[in-house]
């Protein structure tokens, strides 16, 4: 009797939350042109609500990808590119999210002992320029030389960045310092979008922004969880290595297969070890699952920049953070909590919450 009552109640809530059941269907859209990546949004809603929410997502993506763009400036805003040009001369008034993300990274740098340093820009831009040159003309592209990297590394101290939160201004105390937000910008934007969607008419959604995935409330098709694939770094066609089942969680991956060039068998990828100033060699990929997409993005880069054993110890100190490592020899390691949500360890999407 109780069970039937609970079922009726759940059905009523479902109908109330989504208009009539028949109107509430699964929709998907792929969005191009922001963050240099492909974005997909899936949601359970009426056609009208989905279009509305997808429109808002598109607007937010466009806004955040302009704010965090390190390579191009835009009329009417002092974005990251403007800040890098002027921040060494004077305090620059920036959009609130830009000041916020820098402050959050400064706070995290104190708590998390890892290699994610958004002030590594002067070094990262040398590697970016190399990858760009290589893509255009491999014959003429030369690797950044050791001396140039060392000189650039002298201007990478995050405490040299002063943020005035109230005034929303940022100033660099070191005129040669540059910020690069590639490690966190997508996660920050994904988190803001997720917060908006959770309060909207479409709280049941899955947003995928490059290697950053955020799951909203459970899908409205009877499954208790969304399924999120973890890519196999060694498969050139991007096959899935495992699947994790989540609701209201972020799943973020940093991997050496995302942006790289292969020269004489050496993979020069995009995540740079601040100790060596060369692409990090500890692992092939790290996936982090936690509630906040920004934190997950910060941590996935940080864990990529240390040996898995050290990463495991770090994750143990953090609450509600799970991680999966794919090591250089392609073996997989997981935290105990990750094992509980991984398909390879027996988890599936049909478990009903509480059962
Ligand atoms: P992710 O894919 O989230 O790990 O971020 C990779 C991006 O972060 C790169 O494309 C760079 O823009 C930036 N990046 C690379 N190395 C570092 C580092 N050591 N600290 C901070 N950002 C980095
Ligand atoms: Mg990251």
């Amino acid at each position: 009797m109780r069970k039937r009552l609970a079922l009726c109640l759940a059905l009523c809530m479902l109908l109330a939350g989504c208009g009539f059941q028949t109107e509430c269907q699964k929709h998907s859209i792929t969005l191009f042109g922001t963050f240099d990546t492909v974005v997909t949004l899936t949601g359970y809603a009426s056609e009208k609500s989905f279009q509305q929410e997808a429109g808002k997502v598109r607007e937010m993506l466009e806004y955040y990808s302009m704010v965090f763009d390190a390579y191009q400036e835009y009329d009417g805003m002092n974005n990251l590119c403007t800040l890098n040009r002027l921040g060494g001369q004077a305090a620059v008034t920036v959009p609130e999210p830009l000041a916020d993300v820098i402050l959050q990274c400064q706070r995290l740098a104190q708590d998390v002992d890892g290699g994610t340093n958004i002030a590594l820009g002067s070094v990262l831009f040398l590697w970016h320029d190399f990858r760009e040159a290589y893509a255009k003309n491999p014959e003429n592209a030369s690797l950044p030389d050791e001396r140039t990297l060392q000189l650039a590394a002298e201007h990478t101290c995050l405490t040299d960045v002063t943020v005035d939160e109230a005034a929303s201004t940022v100033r660099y105390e070191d005129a040669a310092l540059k910020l690069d937000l590639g490690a966190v910008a997508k996660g920050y934007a994904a988190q803001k979008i997720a917060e908006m969607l959770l309060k909207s008419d479409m709280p049941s959604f899955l947003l995928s922004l490059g290697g950053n995935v955020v799951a909203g409330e459970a899908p409205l098709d009877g499954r208790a969880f969304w399924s999120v694939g973890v890519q196999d770094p060694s498969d050139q066609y991007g096959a899935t290595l495992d699947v994790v089942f989540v609701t209201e969680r972020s799943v973020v991956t940093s991997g050496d297969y995302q942006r790289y060039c292969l020269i004489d068998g050496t993979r020069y990828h995009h995540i740079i070890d601040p100790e060596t100033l060369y692409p990090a060699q500890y692992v092939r990929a790290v996936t982090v699952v936690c509630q906040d997409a920004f934190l997950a993005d910060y941590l996935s880069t940080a864990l990529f920049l240390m040996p898995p054993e050290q990463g495991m110890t770090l994750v143990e100190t953090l609450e509600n953070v799970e991680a999966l490592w794919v090591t250089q020899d392609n073996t997989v390691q997981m935290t105990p909590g990750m094992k509980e949500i991984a398909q390879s360890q027996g988890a599936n999407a049909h478990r009903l919450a509480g059962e």
Side-chain angles (χ1 to χ4, degrees):
M1 182 66 189
R2 256 197 198 161
K3 250 190 175 172
R4 209 177 289 167
L5 200 72
L7 208 72
C8 269
L9 234 132
L11 197 68
C12 290
M13 280 162 72
L14 207 72
L15 293 175
C18 199
F20 292 104
Q21 176 82 9
T22 47
E23 271 187 30
C24 193
Q25 282 171 350
K26 184 179 180 180
H27 302 273
S28 277
I29 190 168
T30 305
L31 305 164
F32 299 93
T34 54
F35 282 108
D36 208 8
T37 191
V38 179
V39 178
T40 57
L41 173 69
T42 300
Y44 284 86
S46 66
E47 171 74 33
K48 190 168 162 237
S49 294
F50 181 77
Q51 291 308 335
Q52 235 167 30
E53 301 315 320
K56 284 194 234 160
V57 169
R58 187 195 297 272
E59 266 175 35
M60 290 176 81
L61 283 168
E62 281 166 1
Y63 174 69
Y64 287 116
S65 90
M66 283 197 283
V67 170
F68 299 135
D69 193 334
Y71 301 100
Q72 197 184 326
E73 298 191 37
Y74 301 90
D75 285 344
M77 80 159 61
N78 291 329
N79 72 350
L80 178 59
C81 190
T82 321
L83 178 60
N84 276 340
R85 185 167 58 81
L86 301 174
Q89 298 159 35
V92 179
T93 304
V94 296
E96 187 266 335
L98 185 47
D100 184 42
V101 82
I102 298 167
L103 264 181
Q104 289 203 49
C105 286
Q106 285 182 326
R107 286 180 195 137
L108 273 171
Q110 288 173 350
D111 297 344
V112 177
D113 187 15
T116 308
N117 176 13
I118 58 163
L120 206 64
S122 51
V123 171
L124 298 178
F125 292 147
L126 293 171
W127 282 104
H128 175 268
D129 291 348
F130 159 70
R131 286 194 307 276
E132 291 276 289
Y134 189 85
K136 275 192 198 125
N137 186 352
E139 309 281 295
N140 282 354
S142 45
L143 287 162
D145 71 85
E146 188 88 38
R147 173 101 187 109
T148 314
L149 286 168
Q150 293 292 351
L151 285 174
E154 284 172 17
H155 306 282
T156 56
C157 188
L158 188 52
T159 50
D160 281 338
V161 180
T162 308
V163 181
D164 183 333
E165 200 175 1
S168 200
T169 62
V170 182
R171 185 193 167 106
Y172 300 165
E173 309 304 334
D174 174 347
L177 185 142
K178 302 268 181 270
L179 290 180
D180 178 311
L181 296 172
V184 290
K186 290 202 282 276
Y188 186 92
Q191 179 59 26
K192 293 291 174 194
I193 293 170
E195 285 167 13
M196 181 281 288
L197 286 173
L198 280 171
K199 285 190 255 154
S200 77
D201 285 345
M202 194 180 71
S204 165
F205 66 87
L206 190 75
L207 173 76
S208 170
L209 215 178
N212 294 244
V213 178
V214 197
E217 291 176 7
L220 301 182
D221 57 5
R223 287 179 296 161
F225 300 95
W226 291 94
S227 318
V228 180
V230 177
Q231 194 174 322
D232 182 348
S234 62
D235 186 283
Q236 56 172 322
Y237 303 108
T240 300
L241 178 90
D242 209 336
V243 175
V244 294
F245 299 103
V246 287
T247 49
E248 294 189 54
R249 285 280 177 284
S250 303
V251 182
V252 178
T253 299
S254 290
D256 68 4
Y257 56 90
Q258 293 168 338
R259 272 163 220 247
Y260 67 94
C261 34
L262 260 182
I263 304 171
D264 299 331
T266 303
R267 184 183 290 265
Y268 293 95
H269 64 77
H270 66 317
I271 308 175
I272 304 303
D273 187 339
E275 300 290 324
T276 63
L277 307 179
Y278 278 81
Q281 300 298 331
Y282 299 105
V283 287
R284 297 229 45 203
V286 183
T287 298
V288 171
V289 175
C290 69
Q291 198 158 18
D292 188 288
F294 163 72
L295 179 63
D297 202 1
Y298 186 95
L299 289 176
S300 71
T301 310
L303 294 177
F304 190 93
L305 291 163
M306 60 180 79
E309 307 73 50
Q310 193 184 332
M312 193 70 89
T313 309
L314 169 63
V315 173
E316 275 166 15
T317 66
L318 306 167
E319 248 174 72
N320 296 321
V321 177
E322 305 303 338
L324 177 157
W325 291 261
V326 184
T327 60
Q328 288 294 354
D329 62 7
N330 237 39
T331 56
V332 175
Q333 294 180 22
M334 297 185 207
T335 56
M338 185 68 97
K339 287 183 182 168
E340 287 175 19
I341 59 170
Q343 187 175 48
S344 64
Q345 307 290 313
N348 67 68
H350 300 286
R351 280 184 293 150
L352 289 175
E355 260 191 7

